[in-house]
Amino acid sequence: MASNKNQHYVPQCYLRQFSASDTGSSINLFNIDSGKFIQGAPIKNQCSKNYFYGDDLVLEKAFQPIEGQYSTVVKQIKSPGYKLVDEDREFLKSFWLLQYLRTEAASKRDIELTEGMNEAIGDDAYLYRLKLKEAVQESVRRFPKIIGTLSDLKVCLLYNKTALDFITSDDPAVLTNRWYLQDARTRGMSFGLGSAGNILLLPLTDKIMMLGYDGHIYNIPHKNGWLNATSPADIKAINEHQLLNCRANIFVRNPDLAVQIADLFDVVKTNKPKFRHKINYLIFDGIEENGDQRFKAANKEQFQQHEHSLMHCQVVNIIPNMWPSVFTWRLKGIAYFKNSGAGYIRQAMALKEPHYAEFKKVKIR
């Protein structure tokens, strides 16, 4: 489990916060495929080699300052009396996005998507083969283009005061959305970085969690950027997201939690999707009176038999068994919608659209 076969890009500066040793060189891990717990695995074996960023190392060097700053910011956060400042809020969102984009698990999801599209097309002339290194590089290059998508999200820190610990994983930056997953209006829809109701989760240490959230939908009271978690049920609910989002390995500081982690995974594993993308097939079904083309849903075989057809790639969002109580609903919450594939988006995202006037403000609660 600590071999190259299950190697994932999680930077050493991040994993050291969950280290099982004083030197920060080893970590305890639970492998979900084998169900085995490995105590004291070398941290360096859980981090990628330079090939992830290409032979010229341009991308790797570009992100080294961010990793160095991460260690400094977390050290400050752990210091007594720390108050969360806007500069650190923005940095934590940037670091979350970097991890969301560059893990091997995220890149393998992109590969699975292209392979599914290739299978559906079935024509060698149009096949696009995406390799792991290319997938990582393409994903990371999107970082400066989309970081602004998170600018309107609020950030606070959740301090774990229970006997349980936060766990982390080989894909630690979680994007979830309680409202999208529970509201009848969004049934069957997928959410993305600009969606209304988004929640960002990133464990910083075994006792500190970064929470990013849409302040127009959720109300999370906090003081100086801190919120205390005193319920073990809330910690289990948050840890469930790591178990459902990870590719292979869960990391934990305290080896005494091995049994609890295995038991929690047994409870939630049926919610873990085999694939993180779904391909929907559409075939031409005529012309509307206004001249628009009409398409109808089809299966893959029907799609392959029609020259005039479309594919729609949809993210498979993970649905947890439970939600932490800290995510309470904001009264008179709002989102923006114009009956398009963009779905329900946040106000800041709607304002960036060239046809902003087409969006209607929707009351959430």
Side-chain angles (χ1 to χ4, degrees), residues 112-129:
E112 290 168 357
L113 174 60
T114 58
E115 288 178 348
M117 294 174 65
N118 286 341
E119 181 185 355
I121 295 172
D123 188 336
D124 291 343
Y126 295 95
L127 295 187
Y128 174 60
R129 300 294 183 189

Side-chain angles (χ1 to χ4, degrees), residues 158-173:
L158 183 64
Y159 184 69
N160 181 357
K161 301 188 74 172
T162 77
L164 298 177
D165 287 347
F166 289 130
I167 62 177
T168 191
S169 72
D170 50 30
D171 199 2

Side-chain angles (χ1 to χ4, degrees), residues 113 186-191 275-280 311-317:
L113 174 60
T186 54
R187 186 173 292 120
M189 295 183 180
S190 296
F191 52 85
F275 299 104
R276 296 295 297 272
H277 292 91
K278 175 186 177 184
I279 300 178
N280 299 312
M311 274 193 299
H312 170 247
C313 303
Q314 181 179 5
V315 175
V316 176
N317 297 132

Side-chain angles (χ1 to χ4, degrees), residues 294-360:
R294 183 177 66 250
F295 290 82
K296 65 178 181 180
N299 56 38
K300 184 169 66 174
E301 290 71 24
Q302 292 171 323
F303 166 85
Q304 292 172 332
Q305 293 170 6
H306 281 72
E307 292 185 3
H308 199 175
S309 54
L310 297 173
M311 274 193 299
H312 170 247
C313 303
Q314 181 179 5
V315 175
V316 176
N317 297 132
I318 295 174
I319 303 175
N321 284 335
M322 50 188 174
W323 291 93
S325 62
V326 298
F327 289 108
T328 56
W329 303 109
R330 176 173 292 281
L331 294 176
K332 300 180 180 180
I334 59 169
Y336 285 75
F337 185 66
K338 69 168 185 177
N339 197 28
S340 72
Y344 292 83
I345 62 176
R346 303 190 301 277
Q347 182 182 39
M349 300 300 104
L351 287 170
K352 295 179 181 179
E353 293 288 333
H355 303 290
Y356 167 70
E358 297 179 7
F359 284 88
K360 294 182 179 180

Side-chain angles (χ1 to χ4, degrees), residues 35-56:
K36 293 182 179 179
F37 187 82
I38 301 176
Q39 192 168 339
I43 282 181
K44 65 179 182 180
N45 286 1
Q46 309 310 315
C47 303
S48 78
K49 297 186 183 295
N50 293 337
Y51 77 84
F52 264 78
Y53 296 126
D55 297 333
D56 59 6

Side-chain angles (χ1 to χ4, degrees), residues 131-350:
K131 296 181 180 179
L132 181 59
K133 181 172 70 174
E134 295 168 342
V136 175
Q137 292 176 14
E138 288 184 13
S139 183
V140 172
R141 287 193 177 99
R142 294 168 53 207
F143 177 83
K145 299 177 182 178
I146 61 177
I147 182 60
T149 309
L150 307 182
S151 60
D152 63 309
L153 295 180
K154 296 182 179 297
V155 173
C156 67
L157 300 170
L158 183 64
Y159 184 69
N160 181 357
K161 301 188 74 172
T162 77
L164 298 177
D165 287 347
F166 289 130
I167 62 177
T168 191
S169 72
D170 50 30
D171 199 2
V174 174
L175 172 65
T176 188
N177 193 316
R178 182 177 185 178
W179 178 70
Y180 243 83
L181 293 174
Q182 292 188 332
D183 197 281
R185 287 167 288 187
T186 54
R187 186 173 292 120
M189 295 183 180
S190 296
F191 52 85
L193 290 174
S195 297
N198 273 354
I199 296 170
L200 316 181
L201 300 175
L202 182 68
L204 304 182
T205 75
D206 56 327
K207 292 299 180 184
I208 302 173
M209 171 74 60
M210 169 208 161
L211 301 179
Y213 61 97
D214 179 358
H216 286 293
I217 289 186
Y218 308 108
N219 179 41
I220 305 182
H222 53 81
K223 184 177 181 180
N224 296 322
W226 288 95
L227 172 69
N228 290 330
T230 57
S231 168
D234 282 346
I235 308 305
K236 287 182 179 180
I238 290 174
N239 284 344
E240 180 179 342
H241 285 279
Q242 290 295 321
L243 287 162
L244 293 175
N245 198 64
C246 78
R247 182 129 192 137
N249 294 331
I250 291 292
F251 305 115
V252 62
R253 179 189 291 276
N254 186 356
D256 294 337
L257 298 178
V259 174
Q260 294 182 31
I261 295 171
D263 289 345
L264 181 58
F265 184 65
D266 281 341
V267 172
V268 305
K269 63 184 179 183
T270 55
N271 287 25
K272 189 175 179 64
K274 184 177 180 181
F275 299 104
R276 296 295 297 272
H277 292 91
K278 175 186 177 184
I279 300 178
N280 299 312
Y281 305 102
L282 303 168
I283 57 176
F284 180 70
D285 190 41
I287 303 291
E288 299 285 358
E289 291 182 1
N290 62 2
D292 290 343
Q293 298 181 28
R294 183 177 66 250
F295 290 82
K296 65 178 181 180
N299 56 38
K300 184 169 66 174
E301 290 71 24
Q302 292 171 323
F303 166 85
Q304 292 172 332
Q305 293 170 6
H306 281 72
E307 292 185 3
H308 199 175
S309 54
L310 297 173
M311 274 193 299
H312 170 247
C313 303
Q314 181 179 5
V315 175
V316 176
N317 297 132
I318 295 174
I319 303 175
N321 284 335
M322 50 188 174
W323 291 93
S325 62
V326 298
F327 289 108
T328 56
W329 303 109
R330 176 173 292 281
L331 294 176
K332 300 180 180 180
I334 59 169
Y336 285 75
F337 185 66
K338 69 168 185 177
N339 197 28
S340 72
Y344 292 83
I345 62 176
R346 303 190 301 277
Q347 182 182 39
M349 300 300 104

